[in-house]
Amino acid sequence: MSDFMEEWKFFLENKKDPLPKSPFQKKMFKDHPKKKKDLIGKGGNKYKSKPYTKKPSMKRSKSAPPLGEAKLKVILKEFLSMFDYSSFNVRDSLNPAFWGEKDVLKAEVANKLIQIGKDFFENNLKFPKNVELIDIKFTGSLANYNWTDNSDIDLHLVIDFKKTGADPKLIRDYVNSKKNLWNEQHDIMMKGHEVEIYVENLNEKHYSTGVYSLLNNEWIVKPSPAKPNIDDQQIMVKINGFQQKLDHLKDLFAKGQYKSSFIYAENLMDKLKNMRTAGLVKGGEFSVENLTYKALRKVGVIEEIFDLKHEAYDKMMSVGTSGNVPGEHPVDQGTLVYSNL
């Protein structure tokens, strides 16, 4: 674990600043009381009654986490449990409950996952007969060396959107709604891990470092047990930045500025999506951007943005309520929202 993460953990566990480690920081701690006294401890005070009779402390004030102690504690706890920073949870082998000799997926697992994929394709998507199920992929951390007890089984169904004859964007919306509904309705567990379905367009870029073809029973991308180099400080900076944006979104909503809230939330979602895509292209699964996205999703920040977006839309479109604040101007709001990103 890096010094940065150690210091944050020390703060949360001991309720005080981590001890300074560098000579520079030690000097800053030593000189702080004198500098504080020079700044606020001199001069007269014309008020003689309480509370002006109380003298300020010259001790160094205790730092506060940017997100607030409670929120940061949740983020760190969830983030550390996801990835185990001491080794970034890179195991010596793939999960033995799923993988057998020569890293081949066990037959009982593979057969059941194929059945789930085919059932979803035939009974939920209901595409024309010319649209074929090209492949079913097993991916995610359980197809990699960074698996945990909380990892999901990512089951990707591959089809060719062009074969449907419809606009690819419409097909994407359609398959997303179907897979979201299926994932909400079903709680299929396999070896203690939940199955999550996703529909993937043929030739869609997929940046996972572990991808297994169930229909061909072979690796498409075989993972490596090499430990990644993680910039955890940048991850925490980005997490804090998005938390501040969420706080601003909440302020807009609380003030009844629902149109501004809706636009701001939409742009935050776009920003998150673009950040993650850029990170995957640049550095893969373990990029700062992708890990930031996963952490934000894990602790509920993304869900809050998504919920506020829908609530703002409902308020904005409602009639006979306090859904719109008099004097709001869509153009001005849009300009304000975009500039704040």
Side-chain angles (χ1 to χ4, degrees):
M1 184 178 294
S2 71
D3 291 342
F4 175 80
M5 295 297 287
E6 288 282 8
E7 289 180 3
W8 278 107
K9 287 188 70 178
F10 184 93
F11 176 89
L12 295 176
E13 293 170 0
N14 298 280
K15 308 294 184 188
K16 61 183 180 181
D17 292 328
L19 296 174
K21 296 181 179 181
S22 68
F24 171 78
Q25 286 295 336
K26 289 180 179 179
K27 186 176 185 303
M28 291 296 292
F29 269 65
K30 182 179 179 181
D31 295 344
H32 184 84
K34 180 180 181 300
K35 292 180 179 180
K36 192 170 184 179
K37 185 176 181 179
D38 290 341
L39 184 65
I40 65 172
K42 296 181 178 180
N45 182 6
K46 65 180 180 179
Y47 300 104
K48 305 301 179 183
S49 60
K50 293 183 178 181
Y52 302 105
T53 55
K54 184 177 181 180
K55 294 183 179 181
S57 171
M58 294 300 122
K59 293 182 179 180
R60 185 176 186 270
S61 301
K62 183 172 69 174
S63 301
L67 302 184
E69 183 180 327
K71 188 68 176 181
L72 184 61
K73 183 180 288 187
V74 171
I75 287 179
L76 280 177
K77 181 179 178 182
E78 294 288 352
F79 202 42
L80 291 170
S81 68
M82 276 193 297
F83 301 117
D84 182 9
Y85 260 77
S86 61
S87 65
F88 208 75
N89 219 18
V90 175
R91 311 290 185 114
D92 295 328
S93 65
L94 298 174
N95 191 317
F98 291 87
W99 304 95
E101 294 182 5
K102 298 182 180 180
D103 295 335
V104 174
L105 192 63
K106 291 184 176 181
E108 61 172 340
V109 174
N111 291 337
K112 190 63 71 173
L113 289 176
I114 290 172
Q115 183 181 347
I116 293 170
K118 287 184 175 180
D119 284 348
F120 176 81
F121 178 77
E122 294 170 2
N123 300 322
N124 293 79
L125 296 182
K126 298 180 180 180
F127 283 124
K129 291 183 178 180
N130 65 305
V131 181
E132 300 177 351
L133 179 58
I134 299 171
D135 201 357
I136 304 174
K137 297 178 180 178
F138 183 3
T139 186
S141 57
L142 281 172
N144 215 316
Y145 289 89
N146 61 317
W147 56 273
T148 72
D149 293 336
N150 299 317
S151 297
D152 292 330
I153 297 172
D154 295 336
L155 198 62
H156 286 218
L157 278 64
V158 183
I159 65 171
D160 188 351
F161 285 11
K162 292 181 181 178
K163 291 289 185 70
T164 65
D167 186 308
K169 291 183 179 180
L170 292 177
I171 296 299
R172 169 54 63 201
D173 289 342
Y174 171 74
V175 298
N176 280 347
S177 65
K178 288 292 187 178
K179 66 98 175 174
N180 288 339
L181 182 62
W182 189 93
N183 288 332
E184 289 175 6
Q185 291 179 338
H186 295 280
D187 187 22
I188 298 176
M189 304 297 292
M190 195 164 297
K191 305 289 186 179
H193 299 268
E194 187 174 2
V195 178
E196 290 277 338
I197 277 183
Y198 178 85
V199 181
E200 182 181 318
N201 189 12
L202 182 65
N203 298 324
E204 178 179 324
K205 289 184 178 180
H206 192 64
Y207 301 98
S208 177
T209 54
V211 185
Y212 193 86
S213 170
L214 289 167
L215 297 187
N216 296 319
N217 196 32
E218 63 182 14
W219 287 101
I220 298 173
V221 180
K222 192 166 185 178
S224 168
K227 294 180 180 180
N229 183 25
I230 306 301
D231 190 344
D232 47 28
Q233 183 169 359
Q234 278 302 309
I235 292 171
M236 294 306 297
V237 168
K238 286 184 177 292
I239 289 173
N240 185 44
F242 274 100
Q243 176 62 41
Q244 291 175 350
K245 289 178 172 61
L246 173 59
D247 290 341
H248 179 62
L249 174 60
K250 289 178 178 178
D251 288 342
L252 290 174
F253 188 88
K255 292 174 183 176
Q257 298 178 16
Y258 301 122
K259 190 181 291 290
S260 291
S261 301
F262 177 77
I263 297 172
Y264 191 76
E266 276 203 320
N267 281 277
L268 278 182
M269 296 305 294
D270 286 343
K271 190 177 183 71
L272 282 163
K273 180 181 178 181
N274 293 336
M275 176 192 72
R276 188 186 193 190
T277 301
L280 288 169
V281 171
K282 180 179 66 176
E285 287 180 281
F286 300 116
S287 65
V288 166
E289 294 82 1
N290 187 49
L291 295 178
T292 298
Y293 181 91
K294 286 190 172 186
L296 291 170
R297 183 177 61 190
K298 185 75 173 179
V299 299
V301 169
I302 293 177
E303 184 179 3
E304 284 190 75
I305 296 172
F306 196 77
D307 289 344
L308 280 169
K309 172 188 169 183
H310 287 292
E311 288 183 40
Y313 180 85
D314 291 347
K315 292 283 188 180
M316 184 174 63
M317 292 302 177
S318 297
V319 176
T321 66
S322 57
N324 291 290
V325 176
E328 283 196 75
H329 192 281
V331 175
D332 292 341
Q333 289 179 28
T335 304
L336 172 66
V337 167
Y338 279 95
S339 64
N340 284 342
L341 284 175

